Amino acid sequence: MTSPVIVTDIARADAATADALAVHGVATVHEAMGRTGLAGPSVRPVQQGARIAGTAVTILQAPGDNLMIHAAIEQCRAGDVLVIATTSPSTDGAFGDLFASALKGRGVRGMITTGGVRDTADLREMGFPVWARAVHSQGTVKATPGSVNVPIVVDGVVVNPGDIVVADDDGVVVVPRLHAAAALDAADARVEKEAADRDAYASGRELSLDRKGLRPLLDELGVRYVTQAEYLDGGR
């Protein structure tokens, strides 16, 4: 770990952009950004049906130690999402309902961690969304310095403080702060196109194979149409 710091004056992405990206959700935003920014599947929701987006306040902390979560709460404000990574793998339950109460009181929209959480029934009851690598009741200490609002990595994706983090039942995607407006434009366009596709498919008027122009590709790849009799006869 580099020298421990707490950065207090981070630039944040536009709040209205974050709100709009939350409506679109993880899969749409990820696809709209050219299939980038998606965290790996190890970080999963502990609830179902929650969809959030907010600006990242980041923590880099030691495994089995939650000291820096206490320090980070002071840096959080309404519209933020707390994002935690550990310096080495850990599933200890470093986060629970007391932290969630403090964050919810400051208007924080949720928490994402590469580590573990506990008190999950309480978290669901209080409506504080959490995405975590593990659910584990193992307690932690408060003894090791770490950093707040520095770049971190969450299952393969870099999260910078102030980036927009979108999270729902499908996982977590990170939208870089400086590209947030472009990402929203692309997501809006994708949603409009998918709505037209959905109407066409639901009406029975078109097949996706034709609407997406995939028949020539099948031919190019050597995929042939044969009758069942021809197939049973060895495809001749």
Side-chain angles (χ1 to χ4, degrees), residues 46-195:
V46 303
Q47 67 288 308
Q48 292 294 305
R51 177 179 285 183
I52 66 168
T55 42
V57 168
T58 63
I59 300 175
L60 183 61
Q61 65 185 19
D65 194 307
N66 68 5
L67 173 63
M68 299 314 295
I69 301 178
H70 289 274
I73 292 171
E74 183 180 20
Q75 305 307 317
C76 292
R77 70 186 195 191
D80 284 340
V81 174
L82 189 65
V83 188
I84 304 170
T86 53
T87 55
S88 60
S90 175
T91 59
D92 294 347
F95 185 96
D97 70 306
L98 292 179
F99 278 140
S101 296
L103 292 171
K104 191 172 183 181
R106 298 180 74 87
V108 174
R109 294 176 172 174
M111 192 278 296
I112 296 159
T113 179
T114 62
V117 298
R118 58 186 185 179
D119 305 327
T120 54
D122 297 319
L123 294 173
R124 288 189 289 268
E125 183 177 356
M126 66 191 294
F128 188 82
V130 167
W131 288 256
R133 179 184 173 199
V135 175
H136 196 186
S137 290
Q138 175 63 50
T140 56
V141 300
K142 300 166 184 60
T144 313
S147 293
V148 175
N149 284 330
V150 298
I152 61 174
V153 177
V154 174
D155 201 351
V157 64
V158 175
V159 186
N160 287 289
D163 285 348
I164 295 176
V165 180
V166 185
D168 60 21
D169 289 349
D170 292 336
V172 176
V173 67
V174 179
V175 181
R177 176 176 64 88
L178 296 179
H179 302 153
L184 178 57
D185 288 342
D188 287 342
R190 183 175 181 84
V191 166
E192 183 177 350
K193 178 182 180 301
E194 287 186 342

Side-chain angles (χ1 to χ4, degrees), residues 173-233:
V173 67
V174 179
V175 181
R177 176 176 64 88
L178 296 179
H179 302 153
L184 178 57
D185 288 342
D188 287 342
R190 183 175 181 84
V191 166
E192 183 177 350
K193 178 182 180 301
E194 287 186 342
D197 289 343
R198 191 175 295 109
D199 288 344
Y201 302 153
S203 70
R205 295 192 310 269
E206 291 186 72
L207 297 172
S208 59
L209 195 62
D210 296 314
R211 190 170 177 86
K212 294 183 179 296
L214 297 176
R215 290 189 190 276
L217 178 60
L218 290 178
D219 185 60
E220 180 183 331
L221 294 174
V223 180
R224 297 188 301 127
Y225 286 84
V226 298
T227 66
Q228 186 175 36
E230 289 170 333
Y231 177 76
L232 293 175
D233 193 35

